[in-house]
């Protein structure tokens, strides 16, 4: 996360110095204040382009906040290392995570664009919309504080999320099978790849620490 945030701050500094960074993933980044970014209209808020813009706008906002915070810490700290460490938890970490979300979304849209199967393309589009809405709602505070969305957007997104979940429920098994995660990654005895969920569940219980022994607080129950 630190390396990622350093990379983004480095690109932002290049822009401030008048250079043109050769970075495709951050080609949207500008020195324009985030308050002057073109706002997404409510009627277009579910458009894939609008969802992508919101993820890019978040980086535009967070990089400016992080840079300002770093400058403040540099002026009050004894050295650059201390100033950076003060900035990481509250400002640099969210910036790096936002970049990860934006990159995933960009690659997701590329896959949808080149998909030749019409039915699969529709499913992937719904999956992208659901993923993007979830990202926005999980970091709702940032989007609202920055002024990128309002309460009306939140209502639309929550309703759309419920609708998408209903539409995708019949495709869930196929989607998971396509990814084919191993049982230990899913981490649920009820989702065993061989379908033997009952025995898998018993094994998971029997393998739990002190499954057949007394709990540490058994004497307290005895006294009661």
């Amino acid at each position: 996360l630190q390396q990622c945030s350093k990379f983004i701050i480095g690109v932002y500094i290049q822009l401030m110095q008048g250079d043109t960074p050769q970075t495709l993933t951050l080609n949207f980044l500008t020195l324009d204040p985030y308050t002057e970014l073109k706002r997404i209209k409510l009627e277009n808020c579910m458009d894939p382009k609008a969802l992508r813009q919101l993820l890019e706008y978040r980086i535009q906002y967070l990089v400016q906040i992080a840079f300002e915070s770093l400058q403040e810490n540099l002026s009050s700290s004894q050295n650059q290392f201390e100033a950076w460490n003060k900035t990481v938890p509250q400002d640099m970490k969210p910036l790096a995570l936002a970049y990860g979300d934006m990159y995933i979304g960009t690659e997701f849209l590329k896959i949808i664009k080149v998909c030749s199967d019409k039915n699969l393309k529709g499913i992937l589009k719904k999956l992208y919309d659901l993923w993007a809405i979830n990202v926005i709602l999980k970091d709702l505070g940032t989007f609202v504080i920055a002024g990128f969305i309002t309460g009306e957007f939140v209502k639309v997104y929550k309703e759309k999320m419920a609708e998408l979940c209903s539409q995708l429920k019949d495709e869930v098994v196929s989607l998971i099978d396509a990814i084919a995660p191993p049982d230990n990654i899913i981490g649920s005895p009820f989702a065993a790849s061989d379908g033997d969920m009952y025995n898998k569940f018993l094994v998971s219980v029997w393998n739990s620490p002190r499954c057949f022994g007394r709990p540490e607080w058994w004497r307290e129950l005895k006294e009661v």
Side-chain angles (χ1 to χ4, degrees):
L1 292 177
Q2 290 201 49
Q3 292 300 320
C4 182
S5 54
K6 283 181 180 179
F7 159 68
I8 302 169
I9 290 294
V11 171
Y12 191 67
I13 291 175
Q14 284 183 291
L15 287 172
M16 295 181 70
Q17 294 172 342
D19 298 331
T20 303
Q22 303 299 315
T23 307
L24 293 177
T25 57
L26 290 173
N27 57 7
F28 60 87
L29 202 60
T30 69
L31 295 177
D32 297 334
Y34 69 87
T35 53
E36 296 180 8
L37 294 173
K38 185 179 179 181
R39 293 300 186 259
I40 305 296
K41 295 182 179 180
L42 182 62
E43 57 268 26
N44 299 328
C45 70
M46 278 308 305
D47 185 83
K49 183 180 178 181
L51 293 172
R52 188 191 74 238
Q53 281 184 322
L54 283 174
L55 298 182
E56 292 176 352
Y57 283 1
R58 179 172 58 157
I59 293 178
Q60 184 85 8
Y61 166 74
L62 290 174
V63 72
Q64 292 179 21
I65 297 300
F67 184 78
E68 291 173 4
S69 178
L70 180 60
Q71 293 299 104
E72 292 177 4
N73 288 329
L74 281 171
S75 63
S76 61
S77 301
Q78 295 181 351
N79 55 65
Q80 186 175 353
F81 180 75
E82 181 183 350
W84 177 264
N85 286 338
K86 285 182 178 180
T87 314
V88 167
Q90 297 297 326
D91 300 297
M92 296 301 179
K93 181 181 176 181
L95 174 61
L97 292 174
Y99 175 81
D101 287 335
M102 183 277 303
Y103 182 80
I104 291 171
T106 301
E107 295 301 307
F108 204 151
L109 288 175
K110 288 180 182 178
I111 292 173
I112 295 174
K113 186 176 181 180
V114 300
C115 181
S116 58
D117 187 310
K118 186 176 181 180
N119 182 53
L120 177 58
K121 192 168 189 174
I123 294 172
L124 291 177
K125 169 64 171 58
K126 293 176 183 178
L127 196 61
Y128 170 81
D129 291 346
L130 182 61
W131 170 83
I133 292 173
N134 185 55
V135 169
I136 293 170
L137 293 180
K138 284 198 302 183
D139 195 18
L140 195 56
T142 298
F143 290 98
V144 173
I145 291 173
F148 299 144
I149 64 175
T150 63
E152 292 178 311
F153 284 76
V154 178
K155 185 176 184 295
V156 171
Y157 285 143
K158 287 185 176 181
E159 291 175 350
K160 189 64 178 179
M161 175 178 274
E163 180 184 331
L164 288 168
C165 286
S166 177
Q167 293 174 355
L168 286 169
K169 67 180 186 301
D170 296 331
E171 312 294 341
V172 170
V173 174
S174 298
L175 290 169
I176 293 178
D177 284 346
I179 301 171
D183 290 347
N184 64 308
I185 295 298
I186 296 178
S188 170
F190 298 108
S193 57
D194 57 8
D196 188 13
M197 66 177 186
Y198 298 108
N199 287 323
K200 285 290 196 314
F201 178 70
L202 288 174
V203 169
S204 67
V205 172
W206 291 341
N207 288 336
S208 299
R210 297 188 299 275
C211 173
F212 297 104
R214 292 175 174 176
E216 296 176 355
W217 34 265
W218 71 273
R219 286 190 176 84
E220 297 177 17
L221 289 179
K222 184 179 179 181
E223 293 175 1
V224 173

